[in-house]
Amino acid sequence: MAVLPRRQLAGFYFFYFAYIGAFAPFFSVYLDSVGLTAVEIGTVMALPQVTRIIAPHLWGWLADATDQQARLLRVTALAGALCWLGIFASTTFLWICTVILALGFFLSAALPLVEATTLTHLGEHTGRYGAIRLWGSIGYIVAVVGVGYALDLFAVGALLWIVLISLGGTLAFAWLIPEAKAVPHAADQQPITHVLRRPEVIALITACALMAVAHGPYYTFYSIHLVGHGYSTGLTGWLWALGVICEL
């Protein structure tokens, strides 16, 4: 196996999941603070999931066609960070929807591409994956707890800058990850319909769909619920971190 870019990959996971730890629990609180209704908040928070229905297939196809996963990762990470800058321009519902839709379209490429790149770099040594991916969980915990306390001290608008910093770190490490040469597999040319008909694939997709439905209300309104009942954002952050700590 060639030299494994462990620090670059671990750094990417740390900052990408730090972005998730800042955005997912607390962006709904920001939306509530700027006057969006519950329906509007739910719509905005659903948009990243909408983009994941289509966009990852496009990015995966481009990665296969160009055999340049790392370069595509850099381009999409840069585009996502630039899209986020638009969130500072307006607090209207339609504008926020536009920004989040564009952000989701580009950032939906990030994790699948870096996962594929990581596993390609690991080759037959996939047992080392967990030690690298662990840094994503650490980044999430640091962000969700840190943002919680930060929002106790500063106005909720500070969240926008914290997310921007997290995206900047994600972009920086994306630029450091070297390209990995994919090894072709005999099953690569199977039609997608053949794969989707397999019972184990159907079961997996069904389980993932049910899990996504269960997490929808949780990710969107849990923080608003806690803050509305008098919990500090610092404690809210710890309650979010608890689940990831249990995973570790």
Side-chain angles (χ1 to χ4, degrees):
M1 182 180 68
V3 177
L4 177 67
R6 185 180 182 280
R7 292 181 180 178
Q8 296 94 317
L9 293 168
F12 178 92
Y13 281 117
F14 180 91
F15 278 102
Y16 178 81
F17 282 97
Y19 148 69
I20 297 296
F23 179 86
F26 295 110
F27 191 59
S28 60
V29 177
Y30 168 79
L31 296 176
D32 185 52
S33 74
V34 298
L36 268 62
T37 67
V39 172
E40 290 172 338
I41 293 171
T43 300
V44 171
M45 298 302 289
L47 291 176
Q49 308 303 324
V50 171
T51 62
R52 291 191 181 106
I53 297 173
I54 299 173
H57 303 288
L58 170 63
W59 301 126
W61 174 80
L62 284 174
D64 287 340
T66 61
D67 198 23
Q68 294 183 336
Q69 294 174 352
R71 178 174 293 183
L72 190 59
L73 173 65
R74 296 166 197 149
V75 171
T76 53
L78 174 60
L82 292 175
C83 288
W84 181 253
L85 293 175
I87 204 68
F88 293 92
S90 174
T91 58
T92 63
F93 171 63
L94 289 179
W95 178 255
I96 292 174
C97 283
T98 301
V99 171
I100 299 303
L101 194 64
L103 175 76
F105 178 77
F106 288 109
L107 286 190
S108 64
L111 192 58
L113 287 174
V114 83
E115 293 279 58
T117 301
T118 299
L119 292 172
T120 301
H121 276 297
L122 287 171
E124 297 180 356
H125 302 272
T126 53
R128 300 173 65 183
Y129 170 81
I132 297 173
R133 176 59 180 79
L134 168 69
W135 286 96
S137 298
I138 295 173
Y140 183 94
I141 293 170
V142 169
V144 78
V145 173
V147 171
Y149 283 119
L151 297 186
D152 280 339
L153 299 174
F154 303 102
V156 70
L159 174 68
L160 306 185
W161 293 99
I162 296 170
V163 171
L164 182 61
I165 292 169
S166 300
L167 290 174
T170 301
L171 176 60
F173 277 96
W175 226 264
L176 296 175
I177 296 174
E179 199 70 64
K181 185 66 177 177
V183 178
H185 298 278
D188 285 348
Q189 302 304 319
Q190 287 188 19
I192 187 64
T193 52
H194 176 75
V195 177
L196 291 176
R197 286 198 299 265
R198 293 170 57 180
E200 63 270 28
V201 174
I202 294 172
L204 176 63
I205 292 174
T206 302
C208 290
L210 292 172
M211 184 177 69
V213 170
H215 279 71
Y218 172 61
Y219 276 109
T220 304
F221 296 110
Y222 182 58
S223 293
I224 294 175
H225 172 77
L226 292 175
V227 172
H229 281 76
Y231 290 82
S232 68
T233 51
L235 180 56
T236 299
W238 275 111
L239 291 172
W240 277 92
L242 180 61
V244 181
I245 293 172
C246 291
E247 290 177 6
L248 294 178

